[in-house]
Amino acid sequence: MGAGKLQVALYWGSACGGCDVAVLDTNEFILDVAAAADIRFWPIAVDGKYRDLEAMADGELDLTLFNGAVRNSENEHVAKLLRRKSKLLVAFGSCSHLGGIPGLANLTSRDAILATVYHGNASLEPGSSGLPQTVTPVNGAELELPTLYHRVYRLADIVAVDYFVPGCPPAPAQVQSVLTAVVKGELPARGSVVGAGERTVCDECKRTKSTKAIKRFFRPWEIIQDPERCLLEQGILCLGSATRSGCGVRCPGSNQGCRGCYGPAPGVTDQGAKFLSAVSSTIDSKDPREIETILGGLPDFISFAYRFGLPASRLQRRHGG
Amino acid sequence: MSYEPRIVGFLCNWCSYTGADLAGTSRIQYPANVRVIRVLCSARVDPTFVVHALASGADGVLICGCHPGDCHYAEGNYKTMRRFPLLKRLLAAYGIEQERVRLEWVSASEGQRFADVVADMTERLRALGPCRVRSGLEADLVTR
């Protein structure tokens, strides 16, 4: 980058805010960022309006960290705006990388979601039938809300993305290394996943692995875990075998199964289908009926297998629109 | 043009592929809707292959392996047996009908059985119509 200060923006689409907090979690490093960079736009931390963004010249920003999925017309509009204004656009965190938790909405339809929230919710007043409208006339003026899309999109489905930083949220060390690499101009080939490994979480997990032969699956709270043994061998779902490494094995290291937030391991085309293969192979039975019973212990397997990456699957459910 | 289902058939080298071969050498007639891919074992059929086939335009996927107890690799077909129910559940979450994926045990001597399975699956898929799964993006984006 040039001699002057780095021009930086951070934005959230459909997201929980955790990625923004992850940036703040770099502690005093954020002061180094402030010294090296002008933060031009960051809704969670500094004031700024879309019109300020619109007023910038194309390519005026050196770097934008975009977290969150694209769920509605506002997300799409700002994603396209930031793409134009930024030299480097980084999909930051699971939601912009793969669709993230909001992406699970793609298992159902927009209409079903709206009906549940606005018509079928137990806490609604009886007879409530309103739905949010994109345009509402009020006293001769028009109030506008973003249009909710039929499905959740990854950032890369909408605009060209230069780099992907996985994680829910990305670890502070990753944030630091990405920002440092930008400042020094030491970045890998465009389109790369940065701040992550090239193997699986399993490869880096220190738990001992031997024969996997289980008769039932356990939810984590149903069992006292052996802190040394592979979680899958104990019947606890762990996505480590299908997930990209680089997180430092944070979850299995804390006695929790890997949730898969770093996305598919390199070479894996469909994280959920790959995980399916690993999990079902651990079952110790040769009887189809017993196998069904054991699999019955996985009531919501799909949401687990694709927890952070359903919109990245090659298959997509077809619904209206 | 009338709809002809496209079936991708994964056949294990040791039993089912030989069974399909027997159907051919025995001149048993069966629909030409199946595109056969020979794999060394039904357990080689990674669920991602099935996802790939369906996302690429297959209307159905047929997996054939040795009968339980007869696997050339002793236990491979049991792995397939354990994966298959979960695979069907995964596909159901995408709205894919159960009949679109099928697991059958076909031995090297069951040429007729292979032909019958393909004929039956073809008719079921014909009744079901094209697979409505989609791998592209829907056009609900608003461009401003």
Side-chain angles (χ1 to χ4, degrees):
Chain A
M1 299 298 152
K5 274 186 153 189
L6 215 55
Q7 304 298 303
V8 175
L10 292 91
Y11 187 72
W12 53 0
S14 173
C16 68
C19 285
D20 286 308
V21 175
V23 175
L24 295 172
D25 270 350
T26 53
N27 298 327
E28 56 272 18
F29 176 77
I30 199 77
L31 300 174
D32 297 342
V33 174
D38 283 334
I39 295 172
R40 298 288 298 278
F41 185 71
W42 188 6
I44 201 174
V46 296
D47 195 18
K49 307 289 181 225
Y50 292 156
R51 63 173 176 273
D52 302 333
L53 203 52
E54 282 156 8
M56 288 180 198
D58 286 1
E60 187 171 330
L61 296 168
D62 292 306
L63 170 72
T64 292
L65 299 181
F66 190 106
N67 74 77
V70 175
R71 184 57 170 131
N72 61 34
S73 52
E74 180 187 19
N75 301 154
E76 189 200 0
H77 171 66
V78 182
K80 288 182 169 169
L81 201 53
L82 282 168
R83 172 68 280 183
R84 274 214 316 279
K85 305 296 178 188
S86 312
K87 291 192 188 78
L88 286 179
L89 178 65
V90 175
F92 186 79
S94 298
C95 295
S96 58
H97 176 208
L98 302 165
I101 300 264
L104 288 173
N106 289 1
L107 285 171
T108 178
S109 70
R110 175 180 73 175
D111 293 346
I113 291 168
L114 290 175
T116 303
V117 174
Y118 291 98
H119 300 153
N121 197 321
S123 64
L124 290 175
E125 280 186 26
S128 166
S129 62
L131 273 182
Q133 301 299 312
T134 303
V135 178
T136 309
V138 177
N139 298 336
E142 280 186 344
L143 297 181
E144 203 181 325
L145 283 177
T147 306
L148 185 71
Y149 287 159
H150 284 281
R151 56 171 303 222
V152 176
Y153 298 88
R154 300 174 288 176
L155 183 61
D157 292 331
I158 309 301
V159 293
V161 172
D162 297 308
Y163 296 101
F164 300 88
V165 177
C168 181
Q174 254 174 284
V175 182
Q176 210 164 320
S177 67
V178 170
L179 290 173
T180 309
V182 171
V183 172
K184 293 184 175 168
E186 294 167 356
L187 280 161
R190 291 210 175 199
S192 304
V193 174
V194 293
E198 291 298 313
R199 305 201 303 175
T200 65
V201 172
C202 259
D203 276 330
E204 296 183 357
C205 181
K206 295 206 169 44
R207 289 172 178 267
T208 56
K209 299 163 191 94
S210 58
T211 313
K212 292 175 179 53
I214 59 166
K215 285 285 185 191
R216 66 161 285 198
F217 293 103
F218 294 93
R219 312 295 291 271
W221 46 266
E222 290 178 311
I223 184 173
I224 304 286
Q225 303 168 7
D226 180 336
E228 309 290 331
R229 273 180 74 208
C230 170
L231 290 163
L232 268 182
E233 281 173 30
Q234 300 180 60
I236 300 163
L237 290 188
C238 175
L239 263 158
S241 61
T243 302
R244 185 187 279 272
S245 66
C247 59
V249 200
R250 279 186 292 176
C251 296
S254 316
N255 290 329
Q256 291 294 320
C258 169
R259 300 292 196 260
C261 72
Y262 268 47
V268 173
T269 54
D270 192 291
Q271 193 178 11
K274 196 73 191 170
F275 179 56
L276 180 165
S277 183
V279 166
S280 47
S281 300
T282 63
I283 295 171
D284 178 24
S285 174
K286 293 177 177 176
D287 171 22
R289 266 183 304 180
E290 189 186 28
I291 291 169
E292 286 283 0
T293 309
I294 296 170
L295 290 173
L298 301 173
D300 191 13
F301 178 75
I302 308 308
S303 299
F304 193 91
Y306 289 104
R307 183 177 294 207
F308 295 96
L310 191 76
S313 168
R314 287 215 56 205
L315 293 177
Q316 296 298 331
R317 198 180 176 93
R318 194 179 267 278
H319 19 72
Chain B
M1 212 175 80
S2 69
Y3 160 66
E4 279 295 336
R6 275 179 294 197
I7 303 170
V8 173
F10 292 103
L11 273 53
C12 100
N13 178 59
W14 306 99
C15 295
S16 310
Y17 190 84
T18 315
D21 212 17
L22 181 66
T25 51
S26 311
R27 311 217 168 185
I28 299 168
Q29 297 277 319
Y30 64 89
N33 298 59
V34 65
R35 274 71 160 167
V36 169
I37 296 173
R38 175 157 63 163
V39 289
L40 277 180
C41 179
S42 60
R44 181 65 186 90
V45 184
D46 190 302
T48 56
F49 296 179
V50 179
V51 165
H52 186 80
L54 292 168
S56 306
D59 298 303
V61 174
L62 172 64
I63 302 168
C64 295
C66 307
H67 285 268
D70 288 349
C71 176
H72 184 79
Y73 304 104
E75 302 254 318
N77 51 2
Y78 289 116
K79 289 206 185 293
T80 308
M81 183 196 276
R82 290 166 199 148
R83 276 179 199 159
F84 195 69
L86 208 50
L87 174 63
K88 287 183 94 159
R89 261 169 64 180
L90 184 113
L91 297 177
Y94 290 114
I96 296 173
E97 297 87 350
Q98 296 290 289
E99 288 110 312
R100 295 202 186 271
V101 286
R102 185 156 167 170
L103 173 63
E104 294 286 348
W105 311 125
V106 175
S107 83
S109 63
E110 291 176 324
Q112 183 64 55
R113 184 170 149 67
F114 177 75
D116 292 345
V117 165
V118 172
D120 184 62
M121 188 168 179
T122 303
E123 285 323 302
R124 284 169 189 265
L125 291 181
R126 200 188 300 283
L128 219 50
C131 184
R132 281 179 44 79
V133 79
R134 157 187 73 69
S135 59
L137 302 175
E138 263 160 31
D140 65 353
L141 295 175
V142 178
T143 307
R144 300 190 199 186

